[in-house]
Amino acid sequence: DDGDDGDDRVDGVDSGSSDSGGGSHHDWQSLKIATYDNICQTLTQFGYQTEADKYWQEGMAEFGDELRIRYAVYCYQQQRFAEAMEIFEAYIDAHESVSRLTLTAQVFKARVLMEMGEYGSAMEIYKRIVPMMGYMDPMVMGDMLFMLLQTNKTTEARDLMKQIMTVLRQQTRCEDVTELEEWSYLAMMNVLLMGTLDKIETANYQCLDMVNKYPDSFEVNFFAGMYYHYYAKNFDRAERYYRNAIGIADEWAKTHYHYALLYKEYNDMAQCLKHVK
């Protein structure tokens, strides 16, 4: 959820490139698309929403679907889920062939469904498209593990984690995935899995290791909050990491939701209502 890294990838999923031609014209077009994206993200970050929306509209008029899918991902990041879903579904319906753009649209359609709690529908999309992706995407794998854990499919989650770890070690030659920041989401899913299996000592060690390695990661802090809230039952640490996550990315409602539930469980209704609002 930290946004794209300035190339043709959007949140870890390749957003694709133009189907027409290549060479210097395509390189220049890709650069302009990335520039539009970065300008709009920066304007939003500093509170210039109207100006950001204007640039998005100008960019989509010039580049069409190439920027429209990026805009839909941006809508997802802003939790404008209905708007994002409309764009993703329209693109998917209009393009039957598999491309990087269609895969990006499918992935983020699944993410919208996941954020709305429609885990069954999201998992069906992931199961259908993962074989088409050609690579192991850390966000997709993390999402699948999270939804399995949320639906109490612990055995399936454990089996999937073993499969992912085997493939990952073969691909990266790295025994410890916590050393790879791009896989921090997966590592936090392992923390929740260990918590589910009541391996609290192991989970505590890995969780503290992750928050020490990646103190500025929204995902690491958010899931650390969830772990200490729902598994380790440590109010002080859950509060600390929820607060850290909010400090990194205040806009995500899910953090405030779980933070509110934490206060409710400890009968602090004033703080609970503060985060509900």
Side-chain angles (χ1 to χ4, degrees):
D1 297 328
D2 292 334
D4 71 271
D5 56 8
D7 58 13
D8 276 341
R9 296 173 67 81
V10 179
D11 279 11
V13 178
D14 205 327
S15 65
S17 58
S18 174
D19 295 330
S20 58
S24 60
H25 173 72
H26 169 65
D27 293 340
W28 176 243
Q29 177 174 295
S30 297
L31 179 61
K32 287 190 71 176
I33 289 170
T35 301
Y36 264 111
D37 192 339
N38 290 333
I39 289 172
C40 293
Q41 297 281 1
T42 302
L43 286 170
T44 300
Q45 180 182 351
F46 287 96
Y48 296 100
Q49 187 67 58
T50 301
E51 290 81 357
D53 287 343
K54 175 177 174 287
Y55 272 100
W56 279 118
Q57 295 304 320
E58 288 181 1
M60 287 188 285
E62 182 174 356
F63 296 109
D65 290 332
E66 295 291 333
L67 202 62
R68 187 168 291 108
I69 294 301
R70 286 180 178 260
Y71 173 69
V73 172
Y74 161 82
C75 289
Y76 160 79
Q77 293 168 339
Q78 299 299 310
Q79 299 169 87
R80 290 152 53 176
F81 295 142
E83 187 176 356
M85 184 66 87
E86 183 178 356
I87 296 170
F88 292 137
E89 289 187 331
Y91 187 83
I92 292 165
D93 290 345
H95 299 81
E96 294 183 2
S97 61
V98 177
S99 70
R100 287 173 290 178
L101 275 182
T102 55
L103 287 174
T104 298
Q106 292 276 15
V107 165
F108 279 93
K109 176 181 177 179
R111 291 215 102 190
V112 171
L113 291 168
M114 181 182 75
E115 296 290 353
M116 296 172 66
E118 298 182 30
Y119 298 139
S121 298
M123 281 295 288
E124 284 302 313
I125 293 174
Y126 278 152
K127 288 178 181 178
R128 186 172 66 252
I129 67 172
V130 163
M132 305 176 191
M133 296 183 72
Y135 63 96
M136 187 178 291
D137 184 84
M139 184 180 75
V140 171
M141 295 299 106
D143 284 351
M144 293 179 74
L145 286 163
F146 177 72
M147 289 187 286
L148 289 172
L149 291 171
Q150 290 297 104
T151 53
N152 299 314
K153 296 179 180 178
T154 308
T155 301
E156 289 184 42
R158 183 171 54 191
D159 292 344
L160 178 59
M161 180 66 80
K162 288 179 181 177
Q163 294 171 22
I164 293 170
M165 296 296 286
T166 298
V167 173
L168 187 60
R169 287 184 180 123
Q170 291 172 349
Q171 290 181 348
T172 65
R173 307 296 183 185
C174 179
E175 289 297 315
D176 183 5
V177 297
T178 67
E179 297 296 333
L180 305 172
E181 186 171 3
E182 65 184 294
W183 288 92
S184 59
Y185 184 11
L186 177 69
M188 292 310 296
M189 290 306 98
N190 193 55
V191 170
L192 298 190
L193 176 60
M194 292 300 99
T196 302
L197 297 172
D198 205 28
K199 297 182 178 181
I200 299 299
E201 185 175 350
T202 300
N204 280 341
Y205 177 83
Q206 185 172 346
C207 190
L208 290 173
D209 184 48
M210 289 298 294
V211 295
N212 286 331
K213 284 178 178 174
Y214 310 113
D216 298 324
S217 167
F218 168 78
E219 286 178 336
V220 169
N221 280 280
F222 172 66
F223 288 117
M226 287 193 70
Y227 166 69
Y228 284 112
H229 180 178
Y230 297 107
Y231 300 96
K233 304 296 184 181
N234 185 319
F235 174 86
D236 290 338
R237 285 188 175 174
E239 182 186 34
R240 178 193 311 168
Y241 294 120
Y242 282 148
R243 189 168 61 247
N244 287 351
I246 289 170
I248 295 165
D250 178 71
E251 68 274 12
W252 280 98
K254 60 187 177 185
T255 319
H256 293 277
Y257 170 75
H258 289 288
Y259 203 5
L261 290 181
L262 177 70
Y263 280 119
K264 182 180 179 182
E265 290 173 20
Y266 285 84
N267 297 314
D268 189 339
M269 295 309 296
Q271 287 295 325
C272 174
L273 291 173
K274 174 184 174 182
H275 288 281
V276 168
K277 292 178 181 179

